[in-house]
C-alpha cells in the first residue's frame, strides 16, 4: 500500500504569518530558570501510545486543572506521532501512515485527531485551551528531518536549500523510521531546527520532548536544538529521550537540556523499578536546578487504554510498590510525568499525587543522595534547606531469590541481539513439575521479550504441544505471558522467522506446569523476539528449564531497617514525622529502626529534638 502524505492547509496560505519568516528574537534568560523545580505533569504515552485524540487530552487537562494544579502539576504533553492520522495501538503504523506536513517539511497535527488544528491553526488552539486553565502545553517530536520532506525535497524556510540537502541516512532511528539525521554544519541544517521551533513557539508550546536524542547521544543535534529554542525567545522546556543517557555526557546534558532520561521506557514492572535504585544512585551527583535526570514517567493509575505496548489495565504495581515509586522519584527529584488516564484515577492514586509533605521534598530538598545500600535495604537522605532538618527515605527491596543455575535441568547460553536463538532437548523422565524460566541479563529487563517456540513434550510416538496445556501459574517482568503471540501482542518472530506455535513472555519470567505422566523429553526453540531485537536497550536473556522449584524461600513480609542518627548529622535526639501519613512517629536518641514492608518504603522528616526516648 502506498504511503499517504497529507499536506497541511499551510500550503493554502493559512498558516500563521510567523511561520513564514525566520527572524531572531531577543535571547531569553538562562533556560535553567524555566524549570527551577522538576517539571510535573501528564503525558499521553502510557495510556494512549501514538493514538491520543484532542478530546482525551482535554479531559486529562480538565482533571489536572481541577484536582492537581494546586499541588504543582501543570504540564500536559501530547506524545509521539500526533502528525499521523491513522496510527495504531500495539505498534506504530509504518505501512501506510497518513502524515500531515506543511510546505516547509514540518509536521503538523492530524486534524482528524485534533479538530482544532484544522485550517492551518496547528496546536495553537489546544495550547490556548491549556493556558486558559493555567496549565502548560507540551509535545513530543523525533530527532531529525522527516523522511517525507527529504523524498519530496521540500524547501527549508528562509533558505534556498531543501530537506534533501541537510540529511543523512546514517544514525537513523532503528525503531521508528519517520526521520533522517540532520547533518550539523550543512547549509540549512540549523535553519531547519530554527523553523520548527519557531512554529512551535507560534503555537504557544511550553515543553518539547525529543526522542531518539540522548541514547545514543547526538551531540551536534542537541546543540542545534538548544540554539533553535533560545532564538525563539519563548521559554520552552527541553526534555531529552530515551535513556540511559551516557553518564559521560552528563555535563553536556546539564548545559543543554532541562531534563534527560536515565533509563529506557519504564513500565509497571517491579524488576524495572528495583533497577532504579542503582540508576538513581548513579545520577544523583548530576541533579541541579533547571537540569534534572529523568527517571521516566509514572506508570500509575489506568494504563494501556490504546498503548503501544500492553492492554487496558490498572497499574500492576502493588500499593507498597507505588509508595516506593513516588518516594524514590521525590527524594531523587526526578521530573514527575503521570502516565495513566487521569479521569480514571481512584482515590488511592489521587492521594499519591497530592501529598503535600512528599511533594515538598520533591520541590525543595537539596543534597539528595543514597545514604546506604545493604543488600536490599536502601536508604536515601536529603536536606531541608529552610530548617536544616533532614529527609529520610527507607526502602525494602527484598525479593524471593532465584534458585542457582546449577539446579536447572538446562540453561541456555546468553541470548542477545547477535545470538538470538537456541534449541533445547532434555530428558524429564520422572519429573512431576516443569518450570520454564527467563532471566534478564546484565543490562536489565528493558525490552527483554522472550519466546518459547514449539514447546513440546514427547514419549516415543506420543507428543503434547505445551501450548495446548494449561499452566498452573505464569509471571512476566512486563506485560502478560501469552500463548501463540509475543508479550507485546504481535506474532512470535525470531531471527526473521514467524512461528505459529509458542509462548511469548518477558524476563524475569516463570511458567509453571504440572507435568503429565508418561512424558520423557522436553523440546523447544528459545529466542529473543523481534520487538526486542530492534531496540537500543535490553535484549539480553537466559532461558532455563527446572523440574524443581526455580525459587528460594520467600523473604519476610517486612524487615527492620536501621539508621544511626549520627549518619544523618544529628549528634543528639531527633523527632521523626511520617511524611506519607503526616503523623509523628516519635523521638529517638541514637538510632531509628522502623519496620518496612517488602517492596515498600518509609518516608520521614527528621528534626533535632531537645528531648527523646531511647530508640
Amino acid at each position: 500500500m502506498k504511503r499517504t502524505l497529507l499536506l497541511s492547509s499551510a500550503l493554502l496560505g493559512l498558516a500563521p504569518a510567523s511561520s513564514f519568516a525566520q527572524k531572531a528574537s531577543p535571547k531569553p534568560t538562562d533556560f535553567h530558570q524555566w524549570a527551577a523545580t522538576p517539571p510535573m505533569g501528564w503525558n499521553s504515552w502510557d495510556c494512549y501510545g501514538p493514538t491520543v485524540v484532542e478530546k482525551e487530552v482535554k479531559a486529562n487537562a480538565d482533571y489536572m486543572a481541577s484536582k492537581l494544579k494546586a499541588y504543582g502539576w501543570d504540564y500536559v504533553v501530547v506524545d509521539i506521532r500526533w502528525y499521523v492520522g491513522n496510527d495504531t495501538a500495539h505498534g506504530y503504523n509504518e505501512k501506510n501512515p497518513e502524515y500531515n506536513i506543511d510546505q516547509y517539511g514540518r509536521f503538523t497535527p492530524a486534524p482528524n485527531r485534533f479538530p482544532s488544528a484544522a485550517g492551518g491553526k496547528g496546536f495553537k488552539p489546544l495550547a490556548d485551551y491549556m493556558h486558559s486553565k493555567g496549565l502548560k502545553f507540551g509535545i513530543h517530536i523525533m530527532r531529525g528531518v522527516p523522511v517525507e520532506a527529504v523524498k519530496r525535497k521540500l524547501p527549508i524556510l528562509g533558505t534556498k536549500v531543501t530537506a534533501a540537502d541537510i540529511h543523512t541516512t546514517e544514525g537513523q532511528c532503528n525503531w521508528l523510521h519517520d526521520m533522517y539525521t540532520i547533518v550539523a554544519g550543512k547549509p540549512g541544517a540549523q535553519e531547519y531546527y530554527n523553523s520548527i521551533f519557531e512554529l512551535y513557539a507560534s503555537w504557544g508550546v511550553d515543553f518539547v520532548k525529543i526522542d531518539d536524542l540522548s541514547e545514543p547521544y547526538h551531540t551536534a543535534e542537541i546543540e542545534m536544538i538548544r540554539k533553535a529554542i533560545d532564538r525563539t525567545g519563548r521559554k520552552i522546556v527541553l526534555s531529552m529521550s530515551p535513556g540511559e543517557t551516557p553518564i559521560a555526557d552528563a555535563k553536556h546534558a546539564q548545559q543543554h537540556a532541562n531534563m534527560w532520561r536515565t533509563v529506557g521506557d519504564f513500565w509497571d514492572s517491579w524488576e524495572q523499578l528495583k533497577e532504579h535504585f542503582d540508576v538513581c544512585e548513579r545520577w544523583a551527583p548530576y541533579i541541579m536546578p533547571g537540569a534534572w535526570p529523568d527517571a521516566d514517567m509514572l506508570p500509575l493509575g489506568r494504563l494501556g487504554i490504546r498503548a503501544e505496548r500492553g492492554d487496558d489495565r490498572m497499574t500492576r504495581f502493588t500499593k507498597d510498590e507505588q509508595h516506593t515509586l513516588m518516594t524514590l522519584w521525590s527524594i531523587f527529584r526526578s521530573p514527575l510525568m503521570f502516565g495513566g488516564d487521569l479521569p480514571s484515577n481512584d482515590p488511592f492514586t489521587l492521594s499519591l499525587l497530592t501529598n503535600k509533605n512528599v511533594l515538598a521534598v520533591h520541590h525543595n530538598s537539596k543534597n539528595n543522595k543514597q545514604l546506604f545500600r545493604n543488600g536490599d535495604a536502601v536508604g536515601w537522605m536529603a536536606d531541608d534547606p529552610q530548617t536544616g532538618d533532614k529527609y529520610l527515605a527507607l526502602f525494602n527491596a527484598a525479593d524471593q531469590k532465584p534458585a542457582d543455575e546449577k539446579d536447572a535441568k538446562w540453561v541456555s547460553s546468553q541470548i542477545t541481539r547477535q545470538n538470538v536463538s537456541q534449541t533445547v532437548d532434555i530428558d524429564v523422565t520422572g519429573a512431576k513439575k516443569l518450570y520454564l524460566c527467563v532471566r534478564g541479563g546484565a543490562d536489565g529487563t528493558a525490552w527483554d521479550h522472550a519466546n518459547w517456540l514449539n514447546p513440546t513434550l514427547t514419549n516415543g510416538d506420543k507428543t503434547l504441544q505445551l501450548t495446548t496445556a494449561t499452566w498452573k501459574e505464569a509471571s512476566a517482568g512486563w506485560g502478560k505471558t501469552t500463548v501463540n503471540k509475543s508479550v507485546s501482542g504481535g506474532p512470535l518472530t525470531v531471527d526473521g522467522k514467524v512461528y505459529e506455535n509458542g509462548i511469548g513472555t518477558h524476563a524475569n519470567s516463570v511458567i509453571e506446569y504440572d507435568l503429565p505422566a508418561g512424558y520423557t523429553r522436553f523440546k523447544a526453540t528459545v529466542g529473543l523476539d523481534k520487538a526486542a531485537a530492534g531496540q537500543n536497550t535490553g535484549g539480553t536473556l537466559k532461558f532455563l528449564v527446572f523440574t524443581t522449584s526455580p525459587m528460594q524461600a520467600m523473604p519476610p513480609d517486612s524487615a527492620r531497617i536501621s539508621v544511626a542518627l549520627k549518619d544523618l548529622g544529628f549528634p543528639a535526639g531527633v523527632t521523626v514525622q511520617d511524611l506519607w501519613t503526616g503523623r509523628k512517629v516519635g523521638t529517638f536518641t541514637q538510632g531509628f529502626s522502623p519496620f518496612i514492608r517488602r517492596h515498600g518504603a518509609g518516608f520521614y522528616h527528621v528534626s533535632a529534638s531537645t528531648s527523646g526516648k531511647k530508640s
Side-chain angles (χ1 to χ4, degrees), residues 287-312:
I287 299 169
M288 63 172 278
W292 308 103
D294 176 14
D296 201 17
M297 291 165 53
L298 305 172
L300 302 174
R302 185 184 178 192
L303 308 169
I305 296 172
R306 292 191 313 280
E308 189 222 2
R309 308 287 177 191
D311 299 317
D312 191 347

PDB file of all heavy atoms in Angstrom, residues 287-312:
ATOM      1  N   ILE A 287      22.150  16.060  39.710  1.00  0.00           N
ATOM      2  CA  ILE A 287      20.943  16.847  39.966  1.00  0.00           C
ATOM      3  C   ILE A 287      21.339  18.307  40.159  1.00  0.00           C
ATOM      4  O   ILE A 287      22.228  18.618  40.953  1.00  0.00           O
ATOM      5  CB  ILE A 287      20.218  16.345  41.230  1.00  0.00           C
ATOM      6  CG1 ILE A 287      19.785  14.882  41.077  1.00  0.00           C
ATOM      7  CG2 ILE A 287      19.025  17.226  41.563  1.00  0.00           C
ATOM      8  CD1 ILE A 287      19.314  14.240  42.375  1.00  0.00           C
ATOM      9  N   MET A 288      20.709  19.211  39.421  1.00  0.00           N
ATOM     10  CA  MET A 288      20.930  20.634  39.644  1.00  0.00           C
ATOM     11  C   MET A 288      19.683  21.397  39.228  1.00  0.00           C
ATOM     12  O   MET A 288      18.912  20.930  38.385  1.00  0.00           O
ATOM     13  CB  MET A 288      22.146  21.142  38.861  1.00  0.00           C
ATOM     14  CG  MET A 288      22.045  21.063  37.358  1.00  0.00           C
ATOM     15  SD  MET A 288      23.427  21.891  36.497  1.00  0.00           S
ATOM     16  CE  MET A 288      22.849  23.603  36.540  1.00  0.00           C
ATOM     17  N   PRO A 289      19.433  22.564  39.835  1.00  0.00           N
ATOM     18  CA  PRO A 289      18.239  23.325  39.490  1.00  0.00           C
ATOM     19  C   PRO A 289      18.189  23.624  37.984  1.00  0.00           C
ATOM     20  O   PRO A 289      19.142  24.136  37.402  1.00  0.00           O
ATOM     21  CB  PRO A 289      18.385  24.609  40.310  1.00  0.00           C
ATOM     22  CG  PRO A 289      19.222  24.200  41.479  1.00  0.00           C
ATOM     23  CD  PRO A 289      20.194  23.200  40.929  1.00  0.00           C
ATOM     24  N   GLY A 290      17.085  23.242  37.372  1.00  0.00           N
ATOM     25  CA  GLY A 290      16.893  23.512  35.951  1.00  0.00           C
ATOM     26  C   GLY A 290      17.413  22.435  35.037  1.00  0.00           C
ATOM     27  O   GLY A 290      17.174  22.489  33.825  1.00  0.00           O
ATOM     28  N   ALA A 291      18.139  21.442  35.572  1.00  0.00           N
ATOM     29  CA  ALA A 291      18.684  20.345  34.767  1.00  0.00           C
ATOM     30  C   ALA A 291      18.522  19.062  35.570  1.00  0.00           C
ATOM     31  O   ALA A 291      19.282  18.808  36.497  1.00  0.00           O
ATOM     32  CB  ALA A 291      20.142  20.606  34.411  1.00  0.00           C
ATOM     33  N   TRP A 292      17.558  18.243  35.175  1.00  0.00           N
ATOM     34  CA  TRP A 292      17.110  17.154  36.029  1.00  0.00           C
ATOM     35  C   TRP A 292      17.287  15.789  35.355  1.00  0.00           C
ATOM     36  O   TRP A 292      16.712  15.544  34.286  1.00  0.00           O
ATOM     37  CB  TRP A 292      15.624  17.336  36.367  1.00  0.00           C
ATOM     38  CG  TRP A 292      15.313  18.683  36.920  1.00  0.00           C
ATOM     39  CD1 TRP A 292      14.735  19.741  36.277  1.00  0.00           C
ATOM     40  CD2 TRP A 292      15.586  19.144  38.253  1.00  0.00           C
ATOM     41  NE1 TRP A 292      14.619  20.825  37.114  1.00  0.00           N
ATOM     42  CE2 TRP A 292      15.139  20.484  38.334  1.00  0.00           C
ATOM     43  CE3 TRP A 292      16.155  18.556  39.386  1.00  0.00           C
ATOM     44  CZ2 TRP A 292      15.256  21.228  39.505  1.00  0.00           C
ATOM     45  CZ3 TRP A 292      16.270  19.305  40.546  1.00  0.00           C
ATOM     46  CH2 TRP A 292      15.818  20.621  40.597  1.00  0.00           C
ATOM     47  N   PRO A 293      18.038  14.871  35.949  1.00  0.00           N
ATOM     48  CA  PRO A 293      17.996  13.484  35.485  1.00  0.00           C
ATOM     49  C   PRO A 293      16.567  12.957  35.603  1.00  0.00           C
ATOM     50  O   PRO A 293      15.926  13.118  36.644  1.00  0.00           O
ATOM     51  CB  PRO A 293      18.947  12.763  36.441  1.00  0.00           C
ATOM     52  CG  PRO A 293      19.812  13.833  37.034  1.00  0.00           C
ATOM     53  CD  PRO A 293      18.946  15.056  37.100  1.00  0.00           C
ATOM     54  N   ASP A 294      16.082  12.344  34.543  1.00  0.00           N
ATOM     55  CA  ASP A 294      14.676  11.961  34.433  1.00  0.00           C
ATOM     56  C   ASP A 294      14.532  10.449  34.515  1.00  0.00           C
ATOM     57  O   ASP A 294      14.948   9.724  33.613  1.00  0.00           O
ATOM     58  CB  ASP A 294      14.137  12.488  33.094  1.00  0.00           C
ATOM     59  CG  ASP A 294      12.706  12.081  32.812  1.00  0.00           C
ATOM     60  OD1 ASP A 294      12.023  11.618  33.743  1.00  0.00           O
ATOM     61  OD2 ASP A 294      12.269  12.232  31.652  1.00  0.00           O
ATOM     62  N   ALA A 295      13.944   9.962  35.604  1.00  0.00           N
ATOM     63  CA  ALA A 295      13.757   8.533  35.814  1.00  0.00           C
ATOM     64  C   ALA A 295      12.584   7.957  35.026  1.00  0.00           C
ATOM     65  O   ALA A 295      12.249   6.790  35.186  1.00  0.00           O
ATOM     66  CB  ALA A 295      13.575   8.241  37.308  1.00  0.00           C
ATOM     67  N   ASP A 296      11.988   8.758  34.184  1.00  0.00           N
ATOM     68  CA  ASP A 296      10.884   8.408  33.275  1.00  0.00           C
ATOM     69  C   ASP A 296       9.539   8.551  33.971  1.00  0.00           C
ATOM     70  O   ASP A 296       9.435   8.874  35.142  1.00  0.00           O
ATOM     71  CB  ASP A 296      11.053   7.033  32.649  1.00  0.00           C
ATOM     72  CG  ASP A 296      10.230   6.871  31.364  1.00  0.00           C
ATOM     73  OD1 ASP A 296       9.804   7.900  30.794  1.00  0.00           O
ATOM     74  OD2 ASP A 296      10.015   5.739  30.917  1.00  0.00           O
ATOM     75  N   MET A 297       8.507   8.282  33.189  1.00  0.00           N
ATOM     76  CA  MET A 297       7.143   8.560  33.594  1.00  0.00           C
ATOM     77  C   MET A 297       6.667   7.667  34.737  1.00  0.00           C
ATOM     78  O   MET A 297       7.268   6.648  35.049  1.00  0.00           O
ATOM     79  CB  MET A 297       6.222   8.411  32.381  1.00  0.00           C
ATOM     80  CG  MET A 297       6.430   9.492  31.342  1.00  0.00           C
ATOM     81  SD  MET A 297       5.683   9.072  29.759  1.00  0.00           S
ATOM     82  CE  MET A 297       4.018   8.712  30.298  1.00  0.00           C
ATOM     83  N   LEU A 298       5.551   8.068  35.319  1.00  0.00           N
ATOM     84  CA  LEU A 298       4.930   7.340  36.417  1.00  0.00           C
ATOM     85  C   LEU A 298       3.828   6.442  35.841  1.00  0.00           C
ATOM     86  O   LEU A 298       2.742   6.912  35.518  1.00  0.00           O
ATOM     87  CB  LEU A 298       4.317   8.321  37.424  1.00  0.00           C
ATOM     88  CG  LEU A 298       5.252   9.383  38.001  1.00  0.00           C
ATOM     89  CD1 LEU A 298       4.456  10.388  38.825  1.00  0.00           C
ATOM     90  CD2 LEU A 298       6.350   8.743  38.840  1.00  0.00           C
ATOM     91  N   PRO A 299       4.098   5.132  35.702  1.00  0.00           N
ATOM     92  CA  PRO A 299       3.075   4.231  35.150  1.00  0.00           C
ATOM     93  C   PRO A 299       2.083   3.821  36.228  1.00  0.00           C
ATOM     94  O   PRO A 299       2.049   2.679  36.688  1.00  0.00           O
ATOM     95  CB  PRO A 299       3.897   3.051  34.626  1.00  0.00           C
ATOM     96  CG  PRO A 299       5.111   3.024  35.490  1.00  0.00           C
ATOM     97  CD  PRO A 299       5.380   4.447  35.914  1.00  0.00           C
ATOM     98  N   LEU A 300       1.261   4.777  36.624  1.00  0.00           N
ATOM     99  CA  LEU A 300       0.312   4.612  37.714  1.00  0.00           C
ATOM    100  C   LEU A 300      -1.096   4.841  37.204  1.00  0.00           C
ATOM    101  O   LEU A 300      -1.304   5.433  36.141  1.00  0.00           O
ATOM    102  CB  LEU A 300       0.631   5.591  38.845  1.00  0.00           C
ATOM    103  CG  LEU A 300       2.030   5.483  39.459  1.00  0.00           C
ATOM    104  CD1 LEU A 300       2.251   6.615  40.465  1.00  0.00           C
ATOM    105  CD2 LEU A 300       2.228   4.124  40.125  1.00  0.00           C
ATOM    106  N   GLY A 301      -2.079   4.411  37.989  1.00  0.00           N
ATOM    107  CA  GLY A 301      -3.463   4.592  37.583  1.00  0.00           C
ATOM    108  C   GLY A 301      -3.825   3.659  36.438  1.00  0.00           C
ATOM    109  O   GLY A 301      -3.306   2.548  36.302  1.00  0.00           O
ATOM    110  N   ARG A 302      -4.720   4.130  35.573  1.00  0.00           N
ATOM    111  CA  ARG A 302      -5.203   3.318  34.456  1.00  0.00           C
ATOM    112  C   ARG A 302      -4.277   3.484  33.257  1.00  0.00           C
ATOM    113  O   ARG A 302      -4.090   4.587  32.739  1.00  0.00           O
ATOM    114  CB  ARG A 302      -6.619   3.714  34.076  1.00  0.00           C
ATOM    115  CG  ARG A 302      -7.237   2.834  32.990  1.00  0.00           C
ATOM    116  CD  ARG A 302      -8.595   3.347  32.587  1.00  0.00           C
ATOM    117  NE  ARG A 302      -9.169   2.533  31.512  1.00  0.00           N
ATOM    118  CZ  ARG A 302     -10.239   2.890  30.806  1.00  0.00           C
ATOM    119  NH1 ARG A 302     -10.864   4.037  31.079  1.00  0.00           N
ATOM    120  NH2 ARG A 302     -10.684   2.116  29.836  1.00  0.00           N
ATOM    121  N   LEU A 303      -3.726   2.371  32.778  1.00  0.00           N
ATOM    122  CA  LEU A 303      -2.747   2.371  31.700  1.00  0.00           C
ATOM    123  C   LEU A 303      -3.254   1.543  30.526  1.00  0.00           C
ATOM    124  O   LEU A 303      -4.203   0.768  30.652  1.00  0.00           O
ATOM    125  CB  LEU A 303      -1.421   1.775  32.188  1.00  0.00           C
ATOM    126  CG  LEU A 303      -0.821   2.346  33.467  1.00  0.00           C
ATOM    127  CD1 LEU A 303       0.331   1.469  33.937  1.00  0.00           C
ATOM    128  CD2 LEU A 303      -0.348   3.766  33.237  1.00  0.00           C
ATOM    129  N   GLY A 304      -2.556   1.693  29.386  1.00  0.00           N
ATOM    130  CA  GLY A 304      -2.743   0.770  28.276  1.00  0.00           C
ATOM    131  C   GLY A 304      -4.082   0.825  27.581  1.00  0.00           C
ATOM    132  O   GLY A 304      -4.489  -0.153  26.951  1.00  0.00           O
ATOM    133  N   ILE A 305      -4.781   1.945  27.651  1.00  0.00           N
ATOM    134  CA  ILE A 305      -6.093   2.028  27.002  1.00  0.00           C
ATOM    135  C   ILE A 305      -5.958   1.759  25.504  1.00  0.00           C
ATOM    136  O   ILE A 305      -6.691   0.959  24.933  1.00  0.00           O
ATOM    137  CB  ILE A 305      -6.742   3.399  27.272  1.00  0.00           C
ATOM    138  CG1 ILE A 305      -7.024   3.556  28.775  1.00  0.00           C
ATOM    139  CG2 ILE A 305      -8.035   3.567  26.462  1.00  0.00           C
ATOM    140  CD1 ILE A 305      -7.495   4.929  29.177  1.00  0.00           C
ATOM    141  N   ARG A 306      -4.995   2.445  24.880  1.00  0.00           N
ATOM    142  CA  ARG A 306      -4.641   2.156  23.478  1.00  0.00           C
ATOM    143  C   ARG A 306      -3.128   2.346  23.338  1.00  0.00           C
ATOM    144  O   ARG A 306      -2.650   3.016  22.427  1.00  0.00           O
ATOM    145  CB  ARG A 306      -5.362   3.090  22.494  1.00  0.00           C
ATOM    146  CG  ARG A 306      -6.857   2.899  22.402  1.00  0.00           C
ATOM    147  CD  ARG A 306      -7.474   3.638  21.236  1.00  0.00           C
ATOM    148  NE  ARG A 306      -7.033   5.010  21.129  1.00  0.00           N
ATOM    149  CZ  ARG A 306      -7.508   6.025  21.846  1.00  0.00           C
ATOM    150  NH1 ARG A 306      -8.450   5.808  22.750  1.00  0.00           N
ATOM    151  NH2 ARG A 306      -7.048   7.251  21.687  1.00  0.00           N
ATOM    152  N   ALA A 307      -2.396   1.751  24.231  1.00  0.00           N
ATOM    153  CA  ALA A 307      -0.959   1.998  24.287  1.00  0.00           C
ATOM    154  C   ALA A 307      -0.232   1.234  23.191  1.00  0.00           C
ATOM    155  O   ALA A 307      -0.761   0.306  22.584  1.00  0.00           O
ATOM    156  CB  ALA A 307      -0.411   1.604  25.651  1.00  0.00           C
ATOM    157  N   GLU A 308       1.019   1.636  22.964  1.00  0.00           N
ATOM    158  CA  GLU A 308       1.852   0.905  22.026  1.00  0.00           C
ATOM    159  C   GLU A 308       2.126  -0.497  22.546  1.00  0.00           C
ATOM    160  O   GLU A 308       2.224  -1.452  21.771  1.00  0.00           O
ATOM    161  CB  GLU A 308       3.174   1.653  21.807  1.00  0.00           C
ATOM    162  CG  GLU A 308       4.004   1.077  20.676  1.00  0.00           C
ATOM    163  CD  GLU A 308       5.476   1.003  21.000  1.00  0.00           C
ATOM    164  OE1 GLU A 308       5.865   1.368  22.117  1.00  0.00           O
ATOM    165  OE2 GLU A 308       6.228   0.565  20.136  1.00  0.00           O
ATOM    166  N   ARG A 309       2.259  -0.657  23.873  1.00  0.00           N
ATOM    167  CA  ARG A 309       2.508  -1.957  24.496  1.00  0.00           C
ATOM    168  C   ARG A 309       1.535  -2.180  25.658  1.00  0.00           C
ATOM    169  O   ARG A 309       1.243  -1.262  26.414  1.00  0.00           O
ATOM    170  CB  ARG A 309       3.940  -2.042  25.034  1.00  0.00           C
ATOM    171  CG  ARG A 309       5.013  -1.678  24.032  1.00  0.00           C
ATOM    172  CD  ARG A 309       5.216  -2.725  22.964  1.00  0.00           C
ATOM    173  NE  ARG A 309       6.206  -2.306  21.989  1.00  0.00           N
ATOM    174  CZ  ARG A 309       6.432  -2.918  20.840  1.00  0.00           C
ATOM    175  NH1 ARG A 309       5.746  -3.973  20.503  1.00  0.00           N
ATOM    176  NH2 ARG A 309       7.355  -2.478  20.005  1.00  0.00           N
ATOM    177  N   GLY A 310       1.055  -3.395  25.786  1.00  0.00           N
ATOM    178  CA  GLY A 310       0.220  -3.741  26.929  1.00  0.00           C
ATOM    179  C   GLY A 310      -1.252  -3.448  26.696  1.00  0.00           C
ATOM    180  O   GLY A 310      -1.645  -2.763  25.759  1.00  0.00           O
ATOM    181  N   ASP A 311      -2.090  -3.981  27.588  1.00  0.00           N
ATOM    182  CA  ASP A 311      -3.543  -3.870  27.471  1.00  0.00           C
ATOM    183  C   ASP A 311      -4.103  -2.915  28.525  1.00  0.00           C
ATOM    184  O   ASP A 311      -3.421  -2.524  29.469  1.00  0.00           O
ATOM    185  CB  ASP A 311      -4.172  -5.256  27.635  1.00  0.00           C
ATOM    186  CG  ASP A 311      -3.703  -6.221  26.556  1.00  0.00           C
ATOM    187  OD1 ASP A 311      -3.645  -5.807  25.386  1.00  0.00           O
ATOM    188  OD2 ASP A 311      -3.378  -7.386  26.891  1.00  0.00           O
ATOM    189  N   ASP A 312      -5.373  -2.580  28.350  1.00  0.00           N
ATOM    190  CA  ASP A 312      -6.089  -1.700  29.275  1.00  0.00           C
ATOM    191  C   ASP A 312      -6.074  -2.340  30.666  1.00  0.00           C
ATOM    192  O   ASP A 312      -6.522  -3.469  30.846  1.00  0.00           O
ATOM    193  CB  ASP A 312      -7.515  -1.518  28.765  1.00  0.00           C
ATOM    194  CG  ASP A 312      -8.270  -0.422  29.492  1.00  0.00           C
ATOM    195  OD1 ASP A 312      -7.790   0.046  30.550  1.00  0.00           O
ATOM    196  OD2 ASP A 312      -9.339  -0.019  29.011  1.00  0.00           O
TER     197      ASP A 312
END
